[in-house]
Amino acid sequence: MGLIKLKNIKIYAYHGCLVEEKKIGSDYRIDLKVHANLTRSATTDNLSDTIDYVHLNHIVKEEMAIRSKLLEHAAERILNRILLELPLVDKVIIDVSKINPPIGGNVEMVTITRSKKR
């Protein structure tokens, strides 16, 4: 078994329920943990035998570009695509954080965490 982590993927996107969020957007941080059997790739040293983290990053960027009212919805799309497109993945955990959310207080970020497995 193994774990691939992508930490602090920075994205500018337009998620949220407020009209202002749709117009001005916000900074987001995404963290992924992908569980998979990495035994074969550790032996063969072939990219085709592992999970390409460039592909993971591409999925995150594409799905975050699609507007959602809720972070949970954006996270669910990312989870579904990873499991659909990357058959080696057994489980994926995602944190989606909105940096400086407009919630009427001094809050660095708000984060939702979701996970999905085969």
Side-chain angles (χ1 to χ4, degrees):
M1 206 44 135
L3 179 65
I4 296 174
K5 297 179 186 179
L6 275 72
K7 294 183 179 182
N8 200 16
I9 301 169
K10 296 176 182 177
I11 305 271
Y12 195 85
Y14 297 87
H15 305 295
C17 295
L18 302 175
V19 174
E20 294 82 15
E21 293 172 306
K22 185 159 94 171
K23 292 179 184 175
I24 63 171
S26 296
D27 289 309
Y28 292 85
R29 172 187 170 156
I30 292 84
D31 297 291
L32 282 177
K33 291 180 184 175
V34 176
H35 296 262
N37 186 340
L38 303 177
T39 304
R40 182 176 171 112
S41 60
T43 304
T44 66
D45 197 30
N46 288 324
L47 180 60
S48 62
D49 292 330
T50 193
I51 296 160
D52 186 353
Y53 48 80
V54 172
H55 191 167
L56 290 170
N57 190 54
H58 179 74
I59 290 170
V60 168
K61 285 182 175 181
E62 281 192 351
E63 293 302 323
M64 287 298 289
I66 301 168
R67 188 174 186 286
S68 292
K69 293 178 194 167
L70 303 177
L71 299 180
E72 297 92 310
H73 188 257
E76 185 71 10
R77 286 196 321 269
I78 294 166
L79 293 173
N80 288 337
R81 268 199 64 195
I82 289 171
L83 290 174
L84 178 70
E85 295 180 20
L86 299 165
L88 286 176
V89 173
D90 294 321
K91 180 180 179 182
V92 59
I93 302 166
I94 187 168
D95 292 332
V96 179
S97 303
K98 181 180 270 191
I99 310 299
N100 298 317
I103 60 174
N106 187 9
V107 177
E108 181 180 346
M109 73 176 95
V110 61
T111 302
I112 64 100
T113 301
R114 300 264 304 134
S115 66
K116 205 168 227 190
K117 60 183 176 179
R118 292 197 190 280

